[in-house]
Amino acid sequence: MMRLDKYISGAGLLSRKECAKAVKKGRITINGIPAARPEIKIQEGLDEIALDGQIIPYMEYTYIMLNKPEGYISSTDDPSAPTVLDLVDERYSRMGLFPCGRLDRDTTGLLILTNDGPLAHRLLSPKYRCEKTYLASLAFVLDDEAINTLESGIILDGKITKPARIEIIGSTQVNITLTEGRYHQVKRMFEAVGNRVLKLKRTRFASLTLDPDLEIGEWRLLTDNETDLLKAAPEKTKN
Ligand code: URA
């Protein structure tokens, strides 16, 4: 059971205040009968809720794919700089979304915003070894020895990094795939082999690839298929 106004605001359609007004005007129905009060309890998934005759399907959680631009902080609130939440439509930003993991302020690319805490927790847990791929533009050409070192592991903060995969894209451009998300990990790994990351863009997160139609700063809801792919959590590993 949940409050009617929570159901409607959770669907991103109206704020709770707007919902109260809509109830007064008889615009909201529960199983075809105009709702009496915004705080009335409904059975989500069972009761049929409609606004102006349009059925509002029950969505427990929201999932957004964002192509993050430079200059935005991966957090929900920061007094000193715009956050990634500032980029999405207000009706979504008030749903309690948060970024699933962090990208540095100057990193661009694929970021998932959701309010599905349990899924985010699972995807970010080191136990699940969720793969992330980054396109890194480097200051110098990467030699075979450096590739080998990066792939087999580097000591960062006294702990060896998990195996990584490097794919050469151009003379100073590589894809690097990691299964961890340590602080500034990609930048620090390249620094450890005497290189420097000039630009960093995340192109893949778990089973999702950045939609090439999303311009920098653009976002869209995940399709049902993409949501299912994300929920098919990567296998839990033993070590
Ligand atoms: N590694 C980094 O160094 N920065 C990011 O934003 C993500 C991974």
Side-chain angles (χ1 to χ4, degrees):
M1 301 282 277
M2 75 193 291
R3 282 174 59 131
L4 175 67
D5 53 1
K6 185 160 188 274
Y7 183 96
I8 296 197
S9 63
L13 291 169
L14 300 174
S15 67
R16 290 210 187 176
K17 235 179 176 174
E18 288 165 340
C19 182
K21 284 186 190 158
V23 165
K24 261 192 186 160
K25 289 187 178 158
R27 292 173 58 203
I28 298 175
T29 53
I30 305 170
N31 301 320
I33 299 163
R37 288 172 293 115
E39 66 275 15
I40 202 163
K41 289 271 177 35
I42 54 120
Q43 296 191 76
E44 63 275 24
L46 283 179
D47 285 328
E48 191 181 86
I49 312 300
L51 171 66
D52 298 329
Q54 294 280 326
I55 292 169
I56 307 167
Y58 176 57
M59 281 200 308
E60 192 177 7
Y61 296 118
T62 299
Y63 307 88
I64 282 177
M65 175 187 286
L66 168 73
N67 186 354
K68 179 191 171 296
E70 282 187 37
Y72 285 78
I73 310 273
S74 298
S75 91
T76 50
D77 188 28
D78 192 300
S80 63
T83 76
V84 288
L85 264 305
D86 294 328
L87 292 161
V88 302
D89 193 300
E90 206 192 311
R91 70 197 161 119
Y92 288 108
S93 67
R94 63 178 173 232
M95 287 179 171
L97 298 180
F98 56 87
C100 182
R102 282 170 183 266
L103 291 177
D104 294 338
R105 189 173 172 158
D106 58 356
T107 300
T108 61
L110 175 53
L111 190 64
I112 300 298
L113 305 178
T114 186
N115 46 9
D116 185 346
L119 178 65
H121 179 77
R122 200 157 83 232
L123 289 168
L124 298 174
S125 161
K127 276 186 284 187
Y128 283 96
R129 306 250 182 111
C130 163
E131 286 200 345
K132 293 137 224 154
T133 301
Y134 299 85
L135 175 65
S137 304
L138 304 172
F140 314 109
V141 175
L142 208 57
D143 61 29
D144 287 348
E145 197 187 328
I147 293 174
N148 198 21
T149 310
L150 288 164
E151 288 192 327
S152 42
I154 281 175
I155 306 281
L156 291 182
D157 306 323
K159 207 174 141 225
I160 191 153
T161 55
K162 299 241 157 38
R165 276 198 319 273
I166 301 276
E167 182 196 358
I168 303 294
I169 303 293
S171 60
T172 53
Q173 268 212 330
V174 298
N175 274 335
I176 177 165
T177 300
L178 305 179
T179 58
E180 303 172 280
R182 286 155 71 177
Y183 182 66
H184 294 327
Q185 182 163 350
V186 175
K187 291 173 186 163
R188 291 198 296 152
M189 284 176 74
F190 283 104
E191 266 162 31
V193 293
N195 214 313
R196 191 153 43 89
V197 173
L198 302 179
K199 276 190 171 210
L200 195 59
K201 175 182 183 178
R202 184 156 68 190
T203 55
R204 196 163 68 89
F205 180 82
S207 35
L208 299 185
T209 304
L210 180 62
D211 182 340
D213 290 337
L214 277 185
E215 300 285 342
I216 288 246
E218 284 185 347
W219 60 275
R220 66 162 171 79
L221 292 171
L222 290 191
T223 62
D224 288 347
N225 193 27
E226 287 170 331
T227 307
D228 289 346
L229 276 174
L230 201 60
K231 286 183 180 170
E235 256 177 56
K236 201 169 175 174
T237 50
K238 286 200 187 76
N239 44 34

